[in-house]
Amino acid sequence: MHSYKMMTQDELRTLQRELQAQYDDLKRMGLKLDMSRGKPAADQLALSMPMLDLVTSRDICLSEGGVDCRNYGELLGIPEMRKLFAELFGVRPEEVMVGSTSSLTLMFDAVARAMKNGVYGGSKPWGEQGTIKFLCPVPGYDRHFAITQHFGIEMVNIPMDDNGPDMDLVEELVASDASIKGIWCVPRFSNPEGTVYSDEVVCRFARLQPKADDFRIFWDNAYFVHTLADDAPELLNLMAEAEKAGTQDRVFLFSSTSKVTFPGGGISVLIMSEANMEHELKAITIQSMGGDKVNQLRHARFLKNAEGVRAHMARQADKLRPKFALVEEMLERELGGLDIAWWTHPKGGYFVGFHAMPGCAKRIYQLCKEAGVALTPAGATYPYGNDPEDSHIRLAPTYPPIDELRGALEVLCVCTRLAAVEKLLAD
Amino acid sequence: MHSYKMMTQDELRTLQRELQAQYDDLKRMGLKLDMSRGKPAADQLALSMPMLDLVTSRDICLSEGGVDCRNYGELLGIPEMRKLFAELFGVRPEEVMVGSTSSLTLMFDAVARAMKNGVYGGSKPWGEQGTIKFLCPVPGYDRHFAITQHFGIEMVNIPMDDNGPDMDLVEELVASDASIKGIWCVPRFSNPEGTVYSDEVVCRFARLQPKADDFRIFWDNAYFVHTLADDAPELLNLMAEAEKAGTQDRVFLFSSTSKVTFPGGGISVLIMSEANMEHELKAITIQSMGGDKVNQLRHARFLKNAEGVRAHMARQADKLRPKFALVEEMLERELGGLDIAWWTHPKGGYFVGFHAMPGCAKRIYQLCKEAGVALTPAGATYPYGNDPEDSHIRLAPTYPPIDELRGALEVLCVCTRLAAVEKLLAD
């Protein structure tokens, strides 16, 4: 195959007819395939089923501290769950607040509190400072952007490369603009590119010198242990680096077991310095009775320790690896060398970042949709749903069974080629 | 026994010496008893243990609609849980949003959304209208007051009688003052008095004519099915009455299974009109991934339907009745006829409202504390912790085993008598 960009108009027109015919055939098949959401597949969930047998009626439901997990108490979580998260993230149990099922809620609430009450060390609530801004490494996670948009926080795109966000730009912006109050980061196997922030990037985050005294790094380490390859890069411990630099109050670290055990039925966590903890708890004690301790106990017994989590995730990786391999194989086979798309090769996480020829993403999304293949909407990975290049599509290969995934990828590839040809002919 | 108020100074002084000696003896016992919190006792929790066997690894985790309860989806809850709550509260499943474990969080978040976004039909967010107010029937629930105080909402005390809040006053205030945006109600077995709002009171709530176009009734029906006596009064269905009056958008109805199954491990619910639902969901979809559907499935299988819930609660009532009977018996025996205290005789719920001689509640709380008996702090049942009469103490007899409860009540009675004598001597 050779680059579409080298083709003559005539060649392109011939190609368009061929592709259109292929596409029409696909459309007639009445497919209904979904590659839109980062959901674990049923075979992954099955791996966590034994957890459901670990707290039963024949059991005592006491946590390590002797607290009855069935009753009120332990706002911050049971000791064994706090210890487990502490071990996983290399922090102290005192810095761990176990939440309900969803880290999204923890993030929303953290922004809500900062808006209303301000953060530790800040002189005013964010909400009383006029226009404020968040830096948004792009492409990124649409749910993050939805939160900042909901609170009227202006979003500033920050380009990403294989090492993480463009730190020269981040440093320059936060140092010069006190209205920048935060940054969204998914530092390991980023959503959607699968990027792991390099050690240098993490260190530069720890040593940031923001003009704002109330700046926070929203470190959403959602895929902290979700590796697919043995040689997947490790992530440097931001909390440890921040402590060395004396900037530990600048970090809110979020995660959950949503893609370790059950999405929506897992355990979320917010990790922060003790000064932040004390400050945030003033409002949290008014809002919350704490998470579900019975479910915490179930999780603690099932996952046991960091080693247990890693072993469990290795079993999930076995289920996921063929799907990611298929994405790579099919994209390479169908699109390689055509010069109309490139994509990421993640070693973990839930997504592949797919970059079509600029100006084609919306068209591809629409073509796929009409052929019965659901993708994450084009633009969703950018603030305000606006991908300035109209190029990026997030591929989520984990949920469909492998045959459905193959079908969806076939459609995607035909649509990508067709959209590219249309674009080249129109230009 | 005869009224302390008829005693001479000399008689009071002699009595004070006797009571002080009794009190000192109690103090020397080094007691450690707790009658401070509305928590179910271990024998109540035991009744829900079979629930833990209803979702196990041998199970399929599909909800009625075929949704996998272990995965993302169903933001509003699984169909069977929505139906169950709909049946229990006499509403439509479409009006039911199942939350996480805690209705406190649902209430906090509902106020937070109203402050930031406003409510359906309102012209402006509550937070952009200067000083706003909530009516607070007193004595009431300290956690409600903490929420309103947190958001800077001014609280106005509304006296309660055996029928509920003083509705003449409520009607007059809401009709004349547009800054009044809400009212906190615990309409059945109110916390702490155990009052059940009369049919007339409920109807008057349904027909309120507030000046504010964005007024909401926060109907915290926490003890909706928590009866102790067969002749406990029923509560009229506010949502049904409000629909008749066309005021259904004015109600936010909250509840949970915290004291049906496991506190902190149960299921919360927010019930609201479909117009309210649509409005509130705009923010909720940004904040939440939905509640824990595995736990919802467990609850739906265990509780089955409204009849199942009632049967389960009847078994809990068997455990609780002796404790409430003991409170009544001991207070009557030790304090009856002395004219220094009165208390409520609830037919359900978790509390007894104890009214000491005005000016004595704080002293009683302190005396009890020094003798090793923890009570809910005096004043806690009023906004800002300020009981203008310094008279009310909330008794929470459910959690301690019956012997501990007896000990705690003994101390309470001696302290109440001692404080009354001190007061009468000082006046």
Side-chain angles (χ1 to χ4, degrees), chain B residues 35-39 141 189-195 223 228 259 324 327 344-354 376 392-398:
Chain B
M35 203 169 36
S36 71
R37 280 209 60 195
K39 289 167 72 165
Y141 178 35
F189 312 127
S190 71
N191 176 354
E193 301 295 90
T195 308
Y223 308 101
L228 292 164
K259 282 148 190 152
F324 280 83
V327 173
T344 61
H345 315 283
K347 297 194 167 179
Y350 263 63
F351 305 103
V352 173
F354 182 79
T376 308
H392 190 269
I393 290 171
R394 182 182 83 165
L395 304 184
T398 60

Side-chain angles (χ1 to χ4, degrees), chain A residues 227-270:
Chain A
T227 53
L228 291 165
D230 290 339
D231 62 342
E234 295 295 327
L235 177 73
L236 203 62
N237 181 343
L238 175 63
M239 283 296 277
E241 293 305 315
E243 276 191 22
K244 283 183 214 162
T247 62
Q248 65 275 10
D249 298 334
R250 210 170 282 145
V251 183
F252 287 150
L253 193 166
F254 303 89
S255 195
S256 79
T257 70
S258 287
K259 283 151 191 149
V260 174
T261 58
F262 299 140
I267 307 282
S268 66
V269 63
L270 168 52

